[in-house]
Amino acid sequence: MQIKNREDLKKYRESAIAGKTASDKNIKLLVGLGTCGTAAGADMVWAKLENKIKSDKISGVELVKVGCVGYCYAEPTVEVVYPDGESVLLGNIKEDNALDVIELHVKKKTNNASNIIKTNIASNIFKNGGKK
Amino acid sequence: MAQQIRIALRNCGKLDPEKIEQYIAQSGYLALEKALFDNKPEDILKLIIDSGLRGRGGGGFPTGIKWQAAAKQKSDEKFVICNADEGDPGAFMDRAVLEGDPHSVLEAMTIAGYCIGANKGIIYIRAEYPLAIERLNVAIDQAYKMGFLGKNIMGTAFSFDISIKLGAGAFVCGEETALIKSIEGKRGEPIVKPPFPAEKGLWMKPTIVNNVETYASVCPIIVNGLEWFRGVGTEKSPGTKVFALAGKINNVGLVEVPMGSTLREVVYEIGGGIKDGKEFKAVQTGGPSGGCITKESLDTPITYENLIQIGSMMGSGGMIVLDEDDCMVNIAKFYLEFTLDESCGKCTPCRVGNTRMFELLEDITEGRGTQLTITKLETLANTIKKASLCGLGQTAPNPVLSTMKYFKHEYEEHINNKKCRAKVCRELLTFEIVADKCVGCSLCARNCPVFCIHGEPKTPFVIDQKACIKCGSCVEKCNFDAITVS
């Protein structure tokens, strides 16, 4: 779609946000597929997850390809974002433990698995102006 | 506990970089909308100046002032360049932004074009970043199709095009004037400033050159306002800085912290401390142009000015953490070798001076150093700094000067005691067999490439020190831990 004026953009943004709201109802698996993640084997993890979701017909799960998340020491990484907005970041997800993501974090909501990375990113800076 | 604040990396790892609808759903192209429909170019210019945003490529020059200088020029054509020629060893901030959120850079470049009156943008990116290039191309296509780039953007009178120019990997092309020469198809050699690119840049037309991270920080300022932006960081260095943590640190990776965070917060709280519980020695920032930050400065707030004051620099954001096993003379030699390789050869101080400096450092690490070597190094370093043509040469001696300032004792140990405390400089090491531990198995002797280990089976062996080439293969082979290195 070509945006020819401000009204077009407004409409497009509304539909994009609606699309996001709809997809936020799924459990999202954000796979870090930058050069760094890919080098560590993230594309194989992606394939494994994709096949599993298809073969087991798991609904309400969405795979999302994202760029570098910044946790190079624990690549490949998969972040699981739940419909309620909560999320866990999982590190060192290789081909052999990729399916744990589905078993432990999609079918269940495990909060104490060994590959959970503690993140320390301020999440609400766009609201409070980032004041320390 | 120190926290990361992500402004430049706000979307990295959060959305699919190849889906423009996801970017737009996260306030994408909202800044461009505000700029084109609600503001005159000078309003945005004033906002960027007042926000205090400074160049994230390392120099720290105020972005708005640079844009203003180009905006003032009268010319039929102006250019907006994005410097994505990230070349510091161990730095990968720009790659992450381009791979994770390419639209944020395109949007900001378009806004920059609107501010200064340019209609053409060029992204100069190194060819070693194939995935970043691919995602940029996808993003540029999408932006053209949707009317965020091209003629009459979103029906306004403003038109802007962006194209990609691949760099061939020369470090010096990260310097803006060399980068411009490279785009023109000439050799990537810097020229003397002034005139600054903002006056006479690409094809002698007014040009602004900004780093990827700088552009990535622009849109949130326009969307959230300058009060918000100035609320992060310090008075003179507002906002955040992305660092690439590498070296002997547990959590190797990308972090974005408010300016004014201390090194201790970055290394210990966010970076997870030093690997294997070893002792922190220093952090090298600013790549081959920078210097070391020592233990004493762990609590200094990281700002452009503070880092310069302690003899390092912000640089583009590479942070290499060094521990007790790193030899500072060797580190200086490593960086100097890098600049030596990358020197374009145009001016003598850089071409010849750095070669001589490298040889002097080699003398020290190989045990030929004297007090005179240090004096010569110092004189040469200061001459090169003053007499080189461009930033590459002017800053090449920095790693040497900085390590000499803070780790003079290590240099002196190498010279006076012929000793390398980190056990890195092989020529200065002594390999010895501990008689009590040696069982006389002869394994070391059989593996010695120069046959300098002698003895009778079942009695302790001895290394002939004069013939030893210090290769270390005996240490690797010994099953009884009977060989010491000192």
Side-chain angles (χ1 to χ4, degrees):
Chain A
M1 140 170 203
Q2 178 93 21
I3 288 169
K4 296 200 182 69
N5 50 52
R6 199 172 191 176
E7 200 53 34
D8 284 354
L9 180 60
K10 205 180 146 204
K11 274 187 207 146
Y12 187 87
R13 177 166 286 118
E14 276 164 11
S15 78
I17 292 173
K20 183 179 179 295
T21 314
S23 92
D24 281 350
K25 292 193 175 114
N26 293 325
I27 296 180
K28 288 196 201 177
L29 304 179
L30 313 180
V31 184
L33 277 158
T35 301
C36 38
T38 312
D43 47 353
M44 286 182 274
V45 172
W46 172 278
K48 197 110 186 190
L49 291 172
E50 197 175 31
N51 287 338
K52 181 74 178 168
I53 291 168
K54 261 189 204 148
S55 68
D56 287 15
K57 300 198 176 71
I58 305 172
S59 62
V61 179
E62 191 183 324
L63 274 174
V64 185
K65 175 176 82 180
V66 299
C68 175
V69 196
Y71 298 89
C72 307
Y73 66 99
E75 294 275 14
T77 58
V78 177
E79 186 172 6
V80 186
V81 184
Y82 298 101
D84 59 10
E86 276 184 47
S87 67
V88 280
L89 181 66
L90 308 169
N92 296 310
I93 302 296
K94 310 275 177 189
E95 229 183 327
D96 54 2
N97 63 354
L99 297 184
D100 287 357
V101 176
I102 306 264
E103 292 303 322
L104 297 177
H105 303 284
V106 173
K107 292 184 179 167
K108 287 183 249 172
K109 205 168 164 183
T110 313
N111 288 320
N112 55 355
S114 61
N115 46 16
I116 292 180
I117 299 176
K118 276 200 184 130
T119 55
N120 52 2
I121 301 171
S123 52
N124 54 353
I125 49 154
F126 292 95
K127 288 178 197 139
N128 72 358
K131 295 258 189 275
K132 271 212 233 185
Chain B
M1 189 76 178
Q3 273 198 321
Q4 294 195 49
I5 289 185
R6 293 197 161 180
I7 294 178
L9 298 175
R10 63 195 176 281
N11 291 328
C12 290
K14 295 283 166 214
L15 50 77
D16 186 334
E18 294 185 4
K19 294 199 170 133
I20 192 170
E21 65 272 21
Q22 294 193 5
Y23 179 67
I24 290 176
Q26 300 274 16
S27 314
Y29 289 104
L30 186 61
L32 184 63
E33 180 191 344
K34 280 191 169 187
L36 292 185
F37 293 106
D38 298 338
N39 290 284
K40 292 194 201 79
E42 48 273 27
D43 301 335
I44 301 293
L45 207 52
K46 186 167 183 310
L47 177 72
I48 299 295
I49 294 172
D50 293 345
S51 76
L53 176 65
R54 299 171 67 175
R56 298 294 192 246
F61 191 83
T63 306
I65 304 287
K66 196 188 259 187
W67 291 13
Q68 192 179 42
K72 274 185 191 157
Q73 301 291 319
K74 298 236 177 318
S75 173
D76 55 337
E77 212 178 7
K78 295 179 187 178
F79 295 98
V80 172
I81 294 177
C82 171
N83 183 349
D85 190 56
E86 188 172 46
D88 283 3
F92 46 90
M93 299 76 53
D94 297 350
R95 194 194 68 208
V97 172
L98 293 170
E99 285 179 3
D101 194 18
H103 281 290
S104 69
V105 175
L106 301 183
E107 186 183 355
M109 284 177 73
T110 312
I111 292 167
Y114 177 68
C115 283
I116 69 163
N119 301 108
K120 182 95 187 78
I122 298 165
I123 302 174
Y124 187 89
I125 180 168
R126 51 197 285 133
E128 290 96 324
Y129 282 177
L131 188 64
I133 295 165
E134 190 189 312
R135 289 192 181 155
L136 266 177
N137 275 320
V138 170
I140 290 174
D141 274 355
Q142 288 170 341
Y144 269 107
K145 281 202 186 108
M146 294 202 47
F148 295 126
L149 283 176
K151 241 186 137 34
N152 301 108
I153 292 172
M154 293 191 275
T156 61
F158 178 62
S159 303
F160 195 73
D161 290 297
I162 292 182
S163 60
I164 293 180
K165 167 83 187 169
L166 298 189
F171 180 65
V172 72
C173 288
E175 199 277 342
E176 57 183 4
T177 60
L179 184 149
I180 287 170
K181 287 283 160 254
S182 174
I183 294 180
E184 288 175 350
K186 298 178 185 138
R187 276 188 69 165
E189 290 175 336
I191 51 167
V192 182
K193 294 187 275 192
F196 289 93
E199 298 152 3
K200 287 191 169 115
L202 183 61
W203 312 117
M204 299 304 275
K205 308 278 186 185
T207 304
I208 54 165
V209 183
N210 283 120
N211 166 267
V212 173
E213 199 189 323
T214 315
Y215 284 122
S217 306
V218 166
C219 296
I221 299 175
I222 296 172
V223 172
N224 300 296
L226 67 102
E227 288 303 320
W228 166 83
F229 186 71
R230 296 200 71 105
V232 187
T234 67
E235 181 61 31
K236 280 186 170 175
S237 308
T240 55
K241 178 80 193 85
V242 182
F243 290 105
L245 293 179
K248 310 283 176 62
I249 187 158
N250 280 318
N251 302 350
V252 168
L254 275 188
V255 300
E256 182 168 352
V257 293
M259 292 275 191
S261 301
T262 66
L263 201 58
R264 189 184 300 280
E265 287 171 333
V266 175
V267 172
Y268 287 96
E269 293 182 23
I270 293 170
I274 309 296
K275 265 186 189 156
D276 304 322
K278 298 250 177 175
E279 200 188 326
F280 172 90
K281 193 181 239 180
V283 162
Q284 213 281 350
T285 63
S289 313
C292 292
I293 308 175
T294 57
K295 222 168 22 190
E296 287 69 34
S297 305
L298 270 173
D299 293 309
T300 308
I302 303 172
T303 62
Y304 294 98
E305 286 78 16
N306 283 353
L307 291 195
I308 296 224
Q309 207 185 355
I310 54 179
S312 186
M313 64 186 272
M314 184 71 83
S316 57
M319 245 190 204
I320 314 243
V321 181
L322 308 169
D323 71 3
E324 53 189 296
D325 291 337
D326 289 301
C327 165
M328 298 315 283
V329 186
N330 195 57
I331 292 287
K333 201 173 81 171
F334 165 80
Y335 279 108
L336 197 65
E337 188 176 13
F338 181 89
T339 7
L340 199 59
D341 267 353
E342 296 292 348
S343 169
C344 76
K346 186 171 177 175
C347 71
T348 318
C350 177
R351 184 185 68 241
V352 183
N354 282 322
T355 313
R356 292 292 96 84
M357 260 179 78
F358 181 74
E359 289 164 1
L360 291 171
L361 285 175
E362 242 176 8
D363 282 349
I364 297 178
T365 59
E366 290 173 8
R368 295 184 300 272
T370 62
Q371 208 58 45
L372 188 65
T373 321
I374 290 197
T375 322
K376 274 189 190 166
L377 262 180
E378 271 167 349
T379 319
L380 205 47
N382 289 317
T383 312
I384 295 169
K385 261 179 97 102
K386 280 186 198 128
S388 288
L389 188 57
C390 80
L392 184 109
Q394 286 157 11
T395 58
N398 283 359
V400 180
L401 287 170
S402 161
T403 48
M404 278 212 281
K405 181 172 171 197
Y406 293 111
F407 298 93
K408 191 97 181 219
H409 53 281
E410 287 199 22
Y411 278 83
E412 278 165 354
E413 269 173 14
H414 279 73
I415 288 168
N416 301 332
N417 312 345
K418 306 288 177 214
K419 185 171 173 279
C420 172
R421 59 166 72 191
K423 298 179 186 172
V424 171
C425 302
R426 288 207 168 240
E427 279 78 0
L428 302 184
L429 301 181
T430 313
F431 292 80
E432 271 172 318
I433 296 176
V434 183
D436 288 351
K437 282 188 175 174
C438 179
V439 299
C441 72
S442 81
L443 188 63
C444 56
R446 279 181 280 136
N447 281 287
C448 175
V450 291
F451 310 108
C452 75
I453 309 181
H454 308 288
E456 290 299 317
K458 297 195 179 159
T459 57
F461 278 56
V462 179
I463 298 173
D464 177 0
Q465 294 299 339
K466 275 189 186 142
C468 176
I469 58 164
K470 336 240 175 192
C471 70
S473 73
C474 52
V475 183
E476 281 166 33
K477 292 290 173 199
C478 183
N479 293 323
F480 303 93
D481 257 350
I483 301 172
T484 60
V485 187
S486 57

